[in-house]
């Protein structure tokens, strides 16, 4: 599946009747596993990107170039459409333009641009929002910057937990009017909140880790939620597995005493080992 086809597939999913659980992906192997398991879409969150690339928390230290390079590696590895968390676009609206261009070239199927003030302002402990007019300008810049009209631009707001639900809806309505393809909300915990959002907007919706009270996928689908992020457990699971394995080795465990390791069959599958054996036979004369 080429890049255009991946983007078209994601657009079809956003237009469809279901609410999808995306695979939280962060590198080439996690992409391949998600694709092999039949996930329809992957999600590269900003927090897991920062962990995978820098080993740092999600405090806006990662650069656009680092993110784009990681997306390129991931999209090369598997034909899974990926929604990329592009944070605030790495600066003002002009930076947003370049962010879209770089991530489009890297193979992203969609990207989100949010209206949180990043990086964190001096002396401010609580998250802040940029002005609505600046947010609209960023969405317009993102839309103008794409060269492939199939690339999905998603306007994201965290206003529901920073200012108010009314502000979140107001911002979303303006982003919708600017022409974005979908809307992403974080911090939505109740049916009343989601009902109000669905009534005030018309675009496909994405939710970031919806609260337990609304995590009914039939209900979410009925409110036009097409993707509901379920957190980033794969990264946490991988970190725990590496920690336990290295701890056991440091403690003197022999290789045969280690547990929780991928089988040779799984490693052969995720590395596409048989494909490379075939290439070696065809191109290098290896038997």
């Amino acid at each position: 599946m080429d890049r255009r086809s991946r983007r078209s597939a994601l657009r079809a999913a956003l237009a469809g009747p279901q609410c999808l659980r995306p695979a939280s992906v962060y590198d080439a192997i996690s992409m391949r596993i998600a694709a092999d398991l039949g996930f329809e879409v992957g999600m590269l969150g900003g927090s897991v990107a920062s962990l995978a690339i820098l080993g740092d928390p999600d405090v806006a230290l990662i650069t656009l170039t680092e993110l784009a390079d990681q997306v390129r590696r991931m999209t090369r590895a598997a034909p899974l459409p990926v929604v990329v968390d592009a944070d605030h676009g790495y600066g003002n609206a002009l930076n947003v333009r370049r962010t879209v261009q770089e991530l489009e070239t890297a193979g992203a199927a969609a990207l989100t641009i949010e209206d949180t003030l990043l990086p964190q302002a001096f002396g401010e402990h609580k998250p802040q929002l940029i002005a609505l007019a600046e947010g609209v300008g960023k969405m317009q810049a993102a839309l103008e910057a794409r060269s492939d009209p199939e690339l999905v631009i998603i306007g994201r707001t965290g206003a529901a937990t920073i200012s108010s639900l009314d502000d979140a809806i107001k911002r979303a309505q303006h982003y919708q009017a600017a022409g974005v393809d979908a809307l992403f909300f974080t911090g939505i915990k109740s049916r009343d909140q989601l009902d109000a959002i669905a009534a005030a907007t018309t675009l496909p919706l994405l939710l970031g880790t919806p609260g337990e009270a609304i995590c009914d996928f039939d209900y979410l689908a009925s409110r036009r939620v097409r993707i509901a992020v379920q957190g980033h457990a794969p990264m946490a699971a991988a970190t725990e597995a590496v920690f336990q394995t290295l701890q056991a080795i440091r403690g003197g465990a022999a290789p045969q005493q280690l547990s929780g390791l991928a089988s040779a069959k799984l490693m052969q599958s995720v590395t596409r080992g048989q494909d490379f054996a075939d290439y070696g036979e065809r191109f290098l004369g290896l038997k």
Side-chain angles (χ1 to χ4, degrees):
M1 185 185 295
D2 61 21
R3 293 174 178 181
R4 195 85 189 281
S5 298
R6 298 181 207 191
R7 292 165 186 159
S8 297
L10 180 57
R11 282 188 173 272
L14 292 176
Q18 294 182 306
C19 177
L20 302 177
R21 297 171 172 86
S24 176
V25 291
Y26 51 88
D27 64 4
I29 293 298
S30 62
M31 277 280 285
R32 283 186 176 162
I33 293 171
D36 289 350
L37 290 174
F39 278 89
E40 299 90 347
V41 61
M43 177 77 194
L44 176 59
S47 59
V48 293
S50 184
L51 286 169
I53 297 168
L54 303 178
D56 290 337
D58 189 15
V59 291
L61 297 179
I62 193 172
T63 67
L64 169 59
T65 303
E66 291 168 330
L67 179 66
D69 284 346
Q70 189 75 350
V71 172
R72 188 174 296 106
R73 296 183 190 102
M74 293 168 63
T75 57
R76 169 190 171 276
L80 184 70
V82 180
V83 179
V84 179
D85 177 3
D87 287 334
H88 61 314
Y90 298 91
N92 63 23
L94 301 184
N95 298 102
V96 168
R97 284 181 54 83
R98 184 178 175 218
T99 294
V100 171
Q101 293 164 349
E102 295 293 338
L103 293 179
E104 179 178 331
T105 301
L111 58 89
T112 67
I113 298 293
E114 66 182 89
D115 53 14
T116 310
L117 178 63
L118 296 172
Q120 190 169 346
F122 177 79
E124 292 288 344
H125 292 285
K126 295 182 179 180
Q128 295 176 289
L129 298 166
I130 60 176
L132 175 56
E134 183 178 0
V136 170
K138 285 191 172 189
M139 303 307 161
Q140 292 171 332
L143 292 162
E144 185 179 301
R146 65 182 172 189
S147 60
D148 181 358
E150 290 296 289
L151 177 68
V152 176
I153 304 296
I154 303 168
R156 172 173 170 168
T157 184
T161 54
I162 297 174
S163 51
S164 68
L165 179 64
D166 288 343
D167 186 32
I169 290 173
K170 179 181 178 181
R171 287 169 176 268
Q173 288 173 327
H174 279 79
Y175 302 158
Q176 177 174 292
V180 299
D181 301 301
L183 298 167
F184 191 133
F185 293 85
T186 58
I188 305 305
K189 303 300 182 185
S190 73
R191 293 198 173 203
D192 286 346
Q193 289 178 313
L194 184 54
D195 289 348
I197 289 169
T201 61
T202 59
L203 292 175
L205 304 177
L206 291 79
L207 293 184
T209 315
E212 291 185 13
I214 61 172
C215 204
D216 175 321
F217 277 74
D218 289 335
Y219 164 71
L220 292 175
S222 74
R223 295 302 184 268
R224 297 196 321 282
V225 178
R226 296 296 173 252
I227 296 176
V229 179
Q230 302 293 289
H232 300 295
M235 170 60 82
T239 301
E240 175 68 12
V242 171
F243 178 84
Q244 293 295 340
T245 301
L246 290 177
Q247 185 179 56
I249 292 171
R250 180 62 174 166
Q256 61 270 23
Q257 295 176 306
L258 300 175
S259 62
L261 305 183
S263 66
K265 181 179 179 180
L266 179 56
M267 292 302 299
Q268 176 81 346
S269 174
V270 298
T271 61
R272 305 299 192 253
Q274 186 57 53
D275 290 343
F276 282 91
D278 293 342
Y279 298 151
E281 182 175 344
R282 291 166 56 197
F283 306 134
L284 299 175
L286 305 179
K287 302 295 184 182

